[in-house]
mmCIF file of all heavy atoms in Angstrom:
data_model
loop_
_atom_site.group_PDB
_atom_site.id
_atom_site.type_symbol
_atom_site.label_atom_id
_atom_site.label_comp_id
_atom_site.label_asym_id
_atom_site.label_seq_id
_atom_site.Cartn_x
_atom_site.Cartn_y
_atom_site.Cartn_z
ATOM 1 N N LYS A 1250 101.898 107.150 100.003
ATOM 2 C CA LYS A 1250 103.046 108.028 99.735
ATOM 3 C C LYS A 1250 103.007 108.600 98.319
ATOM 4 O O LYS A 1250 103.118 109.823 98.124
ATOM 5 C CB LYS A 1250 104.344 107.258 99.966
ATOM 6 C CG LYS A 1250 105.608 108.075 99.781
ATOM 7 C CD LYS A 1250 106.824 107.234 100.158
ATOM 8 C CE LYS A 1250 108.122 107.993 99.994
ATOM 9 N NZ LYS A 1250 109.302 107.175 100.405
ATOM 10 N N ILE A 1251 102.850 107.749 97.313
ATOM 11 C CA ILE A 1251 102.840 108.240 95.936
ATOM 12 C C ILE A 1251 101.578 109.052 95.657
ATOM 13 O O ILE A 1251 101.594 109.999 94.859
ATOM 14 C CB ILE A 1251 102.980 107.067 94.926
ATOM 15 C CG1 ILE A 1251 103.253 107.621 93.523
ATOM 16 C CG2 ILE A 1251 101.757 106.161 94.945
ATOM 17 C CD1 ILE A 1251 103.608 106.549 92.511
ATOM 18 N N GLN A 1252 100.492 108.715 96.333
ATOM 19 C CA GLN A 1252 99.252 109.469 96.158
ATOM 20 C C GLN A 1252 99.389 110.870 96.741
ATOM 21 O O GLN A 1252 98.987 111.856 96.118
ATOM 22 C CB GLN A 1252 98.097 108.721 96.803
ATOM 23 C CG GLN A 1252 97.737 107.420 96.099
ATOM 24 C CD GLN A 1252 96.741 106.576 96.881
ATOM 25 O OE1 GLN A 1252 96.315 106.950 97.960
ATOM 26 N NE2 GLN A 1252 96.381 105.424 96.331
ATOM 27 N N THR A 1253 99.992 110.956 97.922
ATOM 28 C CA THR A 1253 100.138 112.247 98.597
ATOM 29 C C THR A 1253 101.178 113.132 97.937
ATOM 30 O O THR A 1253 100.954 114.312 97.684
ATOM 31 C CB THR A 1253 100.501 112.034 100.069
ATOM 32 O OG1 THR A 1253 99.481 111.262 100.708
ATOM 33 C CG2 THR A 1253 100.643 113.367 100.791
ATOM 34 N N GLU A 1254 102.347 112.548 97.623
ATOM 35 C CA GLU A 1254 103.449 113.340 97.086
ATOM 36 C C GLU A 1254 103.287 113.684 95.606
ATOM 37 O O GLU A 1254 103.625 114.793 95.180
ATOM 38 C CB GLU A 1254 104.774 112.611 97.282
ATOM 39 C CG GLU A 1254 105.234 112.525 98.736
ATOM 40 C CD GLU A 1254 106.653 112.004 98.834
ATOM 41 O OE1 GLU A 1254 107.379 111.971 97.811
ATOM 42 O OE2 GLU A 1254 107.051 111.624 99.958
ATOM 43 N N LEU A 1255 102.784 112.740 94.827
ATOM 44 C CA LEU A 1255 102.788 112.920 93.380
ATOM 45 C C LEU A 1255 101.391 112.952 92.766
ATOM 46 O O LEU A 1255 101.249 113.156 91.555
ATOM 47 C CB LEU A 1255 103.619 111.803 92.720
ATOM 48 C CG LEU A 1255 105.073 111.706 93.202
ATOM 49 C CD1 LEU A 1255 105.787 110.557 92.503
ATOM 50 C CD2 LEU A 1255 105.818 113.004 92.972
ATOM 51 N N GLY A 1256 100.371 112.717 93.580
ATOM 52 C CA GLY A 1256 99.014 112.807 93.076
ATOM 53 C C GLY A 1256 98.585 111.668 92.173
ATOM 54 O O GLY A 1256 97.624 111.801 91.397
ATOM 55 N N TRP A 1257 99.282 110.531 92.280
ATOM 56 C CA TRP A 1257 98.937 109.392 91.421
ATOM 57 C C TRP A 1257 97.919 108.485 92.090
ATOM 58 O O TRP A 1257 97.938 108.278 93.306
ATOM 59 C CB TRP A 1257 100.189 108.567 91.114
ATOM 60 C CG TRP A 1257 99.886 107.320 90.311
ATOM 61 C CD1 TRP A 1257 99.838 107.211 88.954
ATOM 62 C CD2 TRP A 1257 99.560 106.021 90.833
ATOM 63 N NE1 TRP A 1257 99.512 105.932 88.594
ATOM 64 C CE2 TRP A 1257 99.335 105.180 89.729
ATOM 65 C CE3 TRP A 1257 99.439 105.487 92.116
ATOM 66 C CZ2 TRP A 1257 99.005 103.828 89.861
ATOM 67 C CZ3 TRP A 1257 99.095 104.156 92.264
ATOM 68 C CH2 TRP A 1257 98.887 103.330 91.145
ATOM 69 N N LYS A 1258 97.043 107.934 91.285
ATOM 70 C CA LYS A 1258 96.182 106.843 91.712
ATOM 71 C C LYS A 1258 95.819 106.027 90.478
ATOM 72 O O LYS A 1258 95.824 106.553 89.355
ATOM 73 C CB LYS A 1258 94.924 107.355 92.405
ATOM 74 C CG LYS A 1258 93.999 108.173 91.537
ATOM 75 C CD LYS A 1258 92.767 108.611 92.317
ATOM 76 C CE LYS A 1258 91.817 109.436 91.441
ATOM 77 N NZ LYS A 1258 90.596 109.847 92.189
ATOM 78 N N PRO A 1259 95.523 104.751 90.643
ATOM 79 C CA PRO A 1259 95.170 103.940 89.473
ATOM 80 C C PRO A 1259 93.865 104.403 88.862
ATOM 81 O O PRO A 1259 92.940 104.808 89.553
ATOM 82 C CB PRO A 1259 95.052 102.520 90.053
ATOM 83 C CG PRO A 1259 94.775 102.712 91.510
ATOM 84 C CD PRO A 1259 95.514 103.961 91.901
ATOM 85 N N CYS A 1260 93.792 104.362 87.524
ATOM 86 C CA CYS A 1260 92.599 104.819 86.811
ATOM 87 C C CYS A 1260 91.778 103.656 86.254
ATOM 88 O O CYS A 1260 90.585 103.828 85.984
ATOM 89 C CB CYS A 1260 93.000 105.730 85.652
ATOM 90 S SG CYS A 1260 93.752 107.283 86.166
ATOM 91 N N VAL A 1261 92.410 102.507 86.056
ATOM 92 C CA VAL A 1261 91.750 101.390 85.390
ATOM 93 C C VAL A 1261 91.296 100.365 86.422
ATOM 94 O O VAL A 1261 92.140 99.791 87.140
ATOM 95 C CB VAL A 1261 92.683 100.722 84.363
ATOM 96 C CG1 VAL A 1261 91.975 99.570 83.655
ATOM 97 C CG2 VAL A 1261 93.189 101.750 83.349
ATOM 98 N N ASN A 1262 89.979 100.153 86.534
ATOM 99 C CA ASN A 1262 89.517 99.121 87.461
ATOM 100 C C ASN A 1262 89.763 97.735 86.866
ATOM 101 O O ASN A 1262 89.986 97.587 85.658
ATOM 102 C CB ASN A 1262 88.048 99.327 87.843
ATOM 103 C CG ASN A 1262 87.105 99.179 86.666
ATOM 104 O OD1 ASN A 1262 87.175 98.223 85.896
ATOM 105 N ND2 ASN A 1262 86.194 100.133 86.499
ATOM 106 N N LEU A 1263 89.716 96.733 87.716
ATOM 107 C CA LEU A 1263 90.111 95.394 87.289
ATOM 108 C C LEU A 1263 89.196 94.845 86.201
ATOM 109 O O LEU A 1263 89.658 94.222 85.244
ATOM 110 C CB LEU A 1263 90.133 94.448 88.486
ATOM 111 C CG LEU A 1263 90.658 93.033 88.218
ATOM 112 C CD1 LEU A 1263 92.084 93.089 87.695
ATOM 113 C CD2 LEU A 1263 90.587 92.185 89.484
ATOM 114 N N SER A 1264 87.907 95.088 86.308
ATOM 115 C CA SER A 1264 86.966 94.570 85.316
ATOM 116 C C SER A 1264 87.273 95.117 83.920
ATOM 117 O O SER A 1264 87.353 94.356 82.940
ATOM 118 C CB SER A 1264 85.538 94.929 85.724
ATOM 119 O OG SER A 1264 84.615 94.481 84.763
ATOM 120 N N ASP A 1265 87.483 96.432 83.825
ATOM 121 C CA ASP A 1265 87.795 97.043 82.531
ATOM 122 C C ASP A 1265 89.166 96.608 82.032
ATOM 123 O O ASP A 1265 89.348 96.341 80.831
ATOM 124 C CB ASP A 1265 87.733 98.564 82.642
ATOM 125 C CG ASP A 1265 86.333 99.094 82.851
ATOM 126 O OD1 ASP A 1265 85.365 98.358 82.573
ATOM 127 O OD2 ASP A 1265 86.199 100.246 83.304
ATOM 128 N N GLY A 1266 90.134 96.570 82.942
ATOM 129 C CA GLY A 1266 91.489 96.213 82.544
ATOM 130 C C GLY A 1266 91.598 94.794 82.045
ATOM 131 O O GLY A 1266 92.270 94.517 81.030
ATOM 132 N N ILE A 1267 90.918 93.870 82.716
ATOM 133 C CA ILE A 1267 90.957 92.475 82.278
ATOM 134 C C ILE A 1267 90.238 92.302 80.943
ATOM 135 O O ILE A 1267 90.704 91.580 80.057
ATOM 136 C CB ILE A 1267 90.342 91.553 83.354
ATOM 137 C CG1 ILE A 1267 91.304 91.424 84.542
ATOM 138 C CG2 ILE A 1267 90.036 90.170 82.778
ATOM 139 C CD1 ILE A 1267 92.614 90.726 84.224
ATOM 140 N N SER A 1268 89.127 92.996 80.775
ATOM 141 C CA SER A 1268 88.408 92.935 79.499
ATOM 142 C C SER A 1268 89.273 93.452 78.360
ATOM 143 O O SER A 1268 89.338 92.849 77.275
ATOM 144 C CB SER A 1268 87.110 93.743 79.583
ATOM 145 O OG SER A 1268 86.204 93.161 80.499
ATOM 146 N N THR A 1269 89.960 94.568 78.601
ATOM 147 C CA THR A 1269 90.867 95.125 77.596
ATOM 148 C C THR A 1269 91.995 94.146 77.272
ATOM 149 O O THR A 1269 92.365 93.958 76.101
ATOM 150 C CB THR A 1269 91.466 96.454 78.102
ATOM 151 O OG1 THR A 1269 90.421 97.401 78.306
ATOM 152 C CG2 THR A 1269 92.479 97.015 77.109
ATOM 153 N N THR A 1270 92.525 93.524 78.302
ATOM 154 C CA THR A 1270 93.634 92.578 78.124
ATOM 155 C C THR A 1270 93.188 91.340 77.348
ATOM 156 O O THR A 1270 93.884 90.887 76.429
ATOM 157 C CB THR A 1270 94.198 92.167 79.491
ATOM 158 O OG1 THR A 1270 94.620 93.342 80.191
ATOM 159 C CG2 THR A 1270 95.374 91.218 79.331
ATOM 160 N N VAL A 1271 92.040 90.807 77.699
ATOM 161 C CA VAL A 1271 91.518 89.640 76.981
ATOM 162 C C VAL A 1271 91.320 89.972 75.503
ATOM 163 O O VAL A 1271 91.698 89.185 74.617
ATOM 164 C CB VAL A 1271 90.195 89.168 77.606
ATOM 165 C CG1 VAL A 1271 89.493 88.143 76.697
ATOM 166 C CG2 VAL A 1271 90.428 88.561 78.982
ATOM 167 N N GLU A 1272 90.755 91.142 75.222
ATOM 168 C CA GLU A 1272 90.530 91.537 73.834
ATOM 169 C C GLU A 1272 91.840 91.669 73.079
ATOM 170 O O GLU A 1272 91.924 91.322 71.895
ATOM 171 C CB GLU A 1272 89.731 92.841 73.774
ATOM 172 C CG GLU A 1272 88.264 92.677 74.139
ATOM 173 C CD GLU A 1272 87.562 91.650 73.271
ATOM 174 O OE1 GLU A 1272 87.727 91.710 72.027
ATOM 175 O OE2 GLU A 1272 86.861 90.786 73.833
ATOM 176 N N TRP A 1273 92.882 92.174 73.743
ATOM 177 C CA TRP A 1273 94.178 92.319 73.079
ATOM 178 C C TRP A 1273 94.733 90.951 72.690
ATOM 179 O O TRP A 1273 95.209 90.763 71.556
ATOM 180 C CB TRP A 1273 95.176 93.041 73.983
ATOM 181 C CG TRP A 1273 96.471 93.344 73.283
ATOM 182 C CD1 TRP A 1273 96.765 94.450 72.553
ATOM 183 C CD2 TRP A 1273 97.632 92.490 73.205
ATOM 184 N NE1 TRP A 1273 98.039 94.354 72.033
ATOM 185 C CE2 TRP A 1273 98.591 93.174 72.417
ATOM 186 C CE3 TRP A 1273 97.949 91.255 73.733
ATOM 187 C CZ2 TRP A 1273 99.851 92.628 72.145
ATOM 188 C CZ3 TRP A 1273 99.195 90.695 73.455
ATOM 189 C CH2 TRP A 1273 100.137 91.387 72.669
ATOM 190 N N TYR A 1274 94.658 89.989 73.586
ATOM 191 C CA TYR A 1274 95.175 88.653 73.284
ATOM 192 C C TYR A 1274 94.323 87.957 72.214
ATOM 193 O O TYR A 1274 94.862 87.215 71.383
ATOM 194 C CB TYR A 1274 95.248 87.800 74.557
ATOM 195 C CG TYR A 1274 96.476 88.119 75.384
ATOM 196 C CD1 TYR A 1274 96.416 89.020 76.430
ATOM 197 C CD2 TYR A 1274 97.706 87.528 75.091
ATOM 198 C CE1 TYR A 1274 97.549 89.338 77.171
ATOM 199 C CE2 TYR A 1274 98.833 87.834 75.827
ATOM 200 C CZ TYR A 1274 98.759 88.744 76.862
ATOM 201 O OH TYR A 1274 99.890 89.054 77.587
ATOM 202 N N LYS A 1275 93.038 88.236 72.189
ATOM 203 C CA LYS A 1275 92.187 87.671 71.134
ATOM 204 C C LYS A 1275 92.582 88.226 69.771
ATOM 205 O O LYS A 1275 92.555 87.507 68.765
ATOM 206 C CB LYS A 1275 90.717 87.976 71.438
ATOM 207 C CG LYS A 1275 90.128 87.137 72.563
ATOM 208 C CD LYS A 1275 88.738 87.615 72.947
ATOM 209 C CE LYS A 1275 87.726 87.425 71.849
ATOM 210 N NZ LYS A 1275 86.364 87.832 72.269
ATOM 211 N N ARG A 1276 92.947 89.508 69.735
ATOM 212 C CA ARG A 1276 93.326 90.138 68.465
ATOM 213 C C ARG A 1276 94.756 89.805 68.042
ATOM 214 O O ARG A 1276 95.119 90.036 66.892
ATOM 215 C CB ARG A 1276 93.196 91.671 68.561
ATOM 216 C CG ARG A 1276 91.776 92.191 68.725
ATOM 217 C CD ARG A 1276 91.730 93.697 68.455
ATOM 218 N NE ARG A 1276 92.733 94.417 69.225
ATOM 219 C CZ ARG A 1276 92.539 94.917 70.432
ATOM 220 N NH1 ARG A 1276 91.353 94.749 71.040
ATOM 221 N NH2 ARG A 1276 93.486 95.573 71.072
ATOM 222 N N ASN A 1277 95.532 89.305 68.967
ATOM 223 C CA ASN A 1277 96.971 89.090 68.695
ATOM 224 C C ASN A 1277 97.382 87.643 68.912
ATOM 225 O O ASN A 1277 98.423 87.356 69.516
ATOM 226 C CB ASN A 1277 97.801 90.026 69.586
ATOM 227 C CG ASN A 1277 97.674 91.476 69.181
ATOM 228 O OD1 ASN A 1277 98.372 91.954 68.298
ATOM 229 N ND2 ASN A 1277 96.758 92.190 69.842
ATOM 230 N N LYS A 1278 96.599 86.745 68.358
ATOM 231 C CA LYS A 1278 96.910 85.307 68.490
ATOM 232 C C LYS A 1278 98.223 84.959 67.794
ATOM 233 O O LYS A 1278 98.927 84.046 68.218
ATOM 234 C CB LYS A 1278 95.762 84.480 67.931
ATOM 235 C CG LYS A 1278 94.490 84.566 68.758
ATOM 236 C CD LYS A 1278 93.370 83.723 68.160
ATOM 237 C CE LYS A 1278 92.102 83.840 69.001
ATOM 238 N NZ LYS A 1278 90.970 83.053 68.432
ATOM 239 N N GLN A 1279 98.559 85.688 66.731
ATOM 240 C CA GLN A 1279 99.818 85.411 66.037
ATOM 241 C C GLN A 1279 101.022 85.784 66.897
ATOM 242 O O GLN A 1279 102.091 85.172 66.785
ATOM 243 C CB GLN A 1279 99.854 86.169 64.702
ATOM 244 C CG GLN A 1279 98.865 85.649 63.680
ATOM 245 C CD GLN A 1279 99.027 84.157 63.424
ATOM 246 O OE1 GLN A 1279 100.146 83.677 63.183
ATOM 247 N NE2 GLN A 1279 97.929 83.420 63.450
ATOM 248 N N TRP A 1280 100.850 86.793 67.742
ATOM 249 C CA TRP A 1280 101.919 87.174 68.683
ATOM 250 C C TRP A 1280 102.189 86.007 69.627
ATOM 251 O O TRP A 1280 103.348 85.670 69.903
ATOM 252 C CB TRP A 1280 101.475 88.416 69.441
ATOM 253 C CG TRP A 1280 102.451 88.952 70.432
ATOM 254 C CD1 TRP A 1280 103.454 89.864 70.196
ATOM 255 C CD2 TRP A 1280 102.524 88.662 71.841
ATOM 256 N NE1 TRP A 1280 104.143 90.147 71.356
ATOM 257 C CE2 TRP A 1280 103.588 89.418 72.380
ATOM 258 C CE3 TRP A 1280 101.797 87.821 72.678
ATOM 259 C CZ2 TRP A 1280 103.946 89.363 73.727
ATOM 260 C CZ3 TRP A 1280 102.147 87.762 74.022
ATOM 261 C CH2 TRP A 1280 103.204 88.530 74.536
ATOM 262 N N ILE A 1281 101.130 85.375 70.122
ATOM 263 C CA ILE A 1281 101.273 84.216 71.003
ATOM 264 C C ILE A 1281 101.884 83.039 70.251
ATOM 265 O O ILE A 1281 102.798 82.366 70.751
ATOM 266 C CB ILE A 1281 99.908 83.810 71.595
ATOM 267 C CG1 ILE A 1281 99.323 84.950 72.422
ATOM 268 C CG2 ILE A 1281 100.049 82.564 72.470
ATOM 269 C CD1 ILE A 1281 97.910 84.690 72.907
ATOM 270 N N LYS A 1282 101.402 82.791 69.040
ATOM 271 C CA LYS A 1282 101.887 81.654 68.258
ATOM 272 C C LYS A 1282 103.376 81.776 67.945
ATOM 273 O O LYS A 1282 104.108 80.785 67.942
ATOM 274 C CB LYS A 1282 101.091 81.544 66.949
ATOM 275 C CG LYS A 1282 99.636 81.132 67.135
ATOM 276 C CD LYS A 1282 99.532 79.740 67.739
ATOM 277 C CE LYS A 1282 98.079 79.312 67.869
ATOM 278 N NZ LYS A 1282 97.948 77.986 68.552
ATOM 279 N N ALA A 1283 103.819 83.008 67.675
ATOM 280 C CA ALA A 1283 105.243 83.221 67.375
ATOM 281 C C ALA A 1283 106.110 82.826 68.571
ATOM 282 O O ALA A 1283 107.216 82.285 68.411
ATOM 283 C CB ALA A 1283 105.488 84.672 66.988
#
């Protein structure tokens, strides 16, 4: 429905998205510690 009506589809595959997420948490350990 959203693909047909609004032309949306996901752009980030799981491998890239998880890698990006892991890197963010590695860079933001103080955010976790807080």
Side-chain angles (χ1 to χ4, degrees):
K1250 183 175 180 178
I1251 192 171
Q1252 292 170 0
T1253 301
E1254 290 190 15
L1255 302 179
W1257 176 89
K1258 64 179 180 179
C1260 294
V1261 181
N1262 64 48
L1263 186 59
S1264 178
D1265 291 342
I1267 287 295
S1268 294
T1269 298
T1270 302
V1271 168
E1272 287 304 313
W1273 186 88
Y1274 280 95
K1275 286 172 65 177
R1276 293 194 309 270
N1277 290 275
K1278 292 180 181 179
Q1279 292 305 311
W1280 181 88
I1281 299 174
K1282 291 297 182 184

